Amino acid sequence: MSRMFLRETIRAYRQRDPAARSDLEVLLCYPGLHAVLLHRVAHWFWQRRLRLAGRFISHLARMATGIEIHPGATIGRRCMIDHGMGVVIGETAVVGDDVYLYHQVTLGGTSSERGKRHPSVANNVIIGAGAKVLGNILIGENARIGANAVVVADVPANTTVVGIPARPVERGSATRPPKPRFDPYGTPCDPCLDPLLGEIERLRTELTDLEARMARAERRETEHAERRETEHAERREPDRAGPRETDHDEPVARG
C-alpha cells in the first residue's frame, strides 16, 4: 500500500508539474512529497493514541519542509503541495483525493472549542497560493480557490471563488457544470471571470442606459416646452391686432 501510495503520488507530480523531469527528482527534491509521507507516519501514531510521537514527527517534518500538517488531519491520495513553504493544515481538516495546494495555504480553524473546526476539502480541488480557508466549511468537488482568497463559507462544487472575502465567479451554467480542468494557482486567467471587472461593467452599462433615458426625457421636455411657447405666441397675436371693423358697423357721427 505504501509503495502504491508513493508511486501514484510521484506520478501525479510528474503529470501536473512540467518542472518535474524524473521520478527520482520528485522523490529527492519535492518538499511537498516529503511532508505528505512524513504525515502518514505521524498520522499512524496519532490514530493509535501515541499523540506525542505523532506531534514530534510532524514537528520534524515542519522543520525539514516548512510545511505544517497536524498529525490529526486526514489527507487523501495523490495530494500535491507545490512549493509548500508556509502551508498549514489544522488538526480536524479533511483533504480529499487529487487536491492541489500551493504555498502559504492555510486550512485553519475559527473556534477554540474541541471538535470539528477546520475545513473539509473534497476531491480534485485546487487552492491557490496564499489562500486562507477558515472554519468548519466544505469546499465542493472540482472547486477552485484563487490565490490570496479568504474563504469563510461553503464553496459549491464546480465553482471558482476569488477575493476577500471570497466570492464566486461564473463558469458554465448550473445545469451543465464545467468540465474539471487544471487552473494554475487556482486562479482563472480569463479577465471576464473577475467579479470586480464584471461589477464595473454592469455599472457602466446601467450608467449608459440611464444617460440615454435622461437624454430622451430632456428632448421630450424641450419639445413640450417649444409647443407650449408656440401655442402661447399664437394666442397673443389676435390680441395685438385688436378688434376688426365689419361691414355691418355704422359710421360714427361726428359733431
Side-chain angles (χ1 to χ4, degrees):
M1 180 65 181
S2 297
R3 289 184 179 180
M4 185 181 70
F5 173 84
L6 179 60
R7 189 181 303 112
E8 66 181 10
T9 304
I10 292 176
R11 187 183 304 117
Y13 273 96
R14 293 288 306 277
Q15 290 174 348
R16 287 191 167 186
D17 187 357
R21 291 175 172 79
S22 68
D23 292 355
L24 184 60
E25 179 184 353
V26 174
L27 181 62
L28 297 179
C29 304
Y30 276 65
L33 175 62
H34 305 157
V36 171
L37 291 176
L38 289 172
H39 169 73
R40 287 177 64 84
V41 178
H43 189 63
W44 185 89
F45 281 102
W46 186 268
Q47 287 183 315
R48 286 153 182 79
R49 297 188 177 277
L50 300 172
R51 303 297 170 83
L52 180 59
R55 287 302 301 267
F56 184 68
I57 293 172
S58 68
H59 179 66
L60 294 178
R62 177 177 177 271
M63 293 175 60
T65 65
I67 299 169
E68 181 176 347
I69 307 176
H70 193 283
T74 301
I75 306 295
R77 298 168 59 185
R78 297 176 298 277
C79 176
M80 294 180 57
I81 303 177
D82 200 357
H83 304 296
M85 183 63 68
V87 168
V88 177
I89 300 177
E91 177 186 3
T92 62
V94 177
V95 178
D97 298 336
D98 300 300
V99 172
Y100 201 110
L101 307 178
Y102 284 91
H103 49 285
Q104 299 292 332
V105 165
T106 297
L107 304 182
T110 56
S111 172
S112 59
E113 301 293 332
R114 294 184 182 273
K116 187 73 169 75
R117 60 189 185 278
H118 295 88
S120 295
V121 181
N123 299 336
N124 198 39
V125 171
I126 298 176
I127 303 181
K132 307 297 184 270
V133 185
L134 307 176
N136 183 17
I137 60 177
L138 174 63
I139 310 301
E141 289 191 5
N142 304 317
R144 303 293 184 260
I145 310 298
N148 294 316
V150 177
V151 185
V152 293
D154 291 349
V155 177
N158 303 301
T159 301
T160 299
V161 296
V162 298
I164 303 174
R167 293 176 293 179
V169 294
E170 295 295 332
R171 179 177 291 180
S173 64
T175 56
R176 298 183 62 184
K179 294 181 180 180
R181 70 179 189 184
F182 181 73
D183 288 321
Y185 292 91
T187 304
C189 298
D190 189 347
C192 69
L193 295 178
D194 189 331
L196 294 180
L197 290 179
E199 188 69 15
I200 292 173
E201 187 62 30
R202 184 185 66 81
L203 292 174
R204 183 181 298 161
T205 302
E206 290 183 358
L207 179 60
T208 302
D209 181 64
L210 181 60
E211 289 176 344
R213 291 165 58 187
M214 290 180 63
R216 290 195 297 268
E218 289 177 356
R219 285 197 299 270
R220 287 196 297 267
E221 182 65 25
T222 301
E223 293 173 357
H224 184 62
E226 290 176 352
R227 284 198 301 269
R228 285 187 300 177
E229 184 66 25
T230 302
E231 293 173 357
H232 185 61
E234 290 176 351
R235 285 197 299 268
R236 285 187 301 178
E237 284 183 359
D239 296 339
R240 292 176 184 173
R244 296 181 179 179
E245 293 183 356
T246 62
D247 296 339
H248 301 286
D249 292 340
E250 295 181 358
V252 179
R254 297 181 180 180

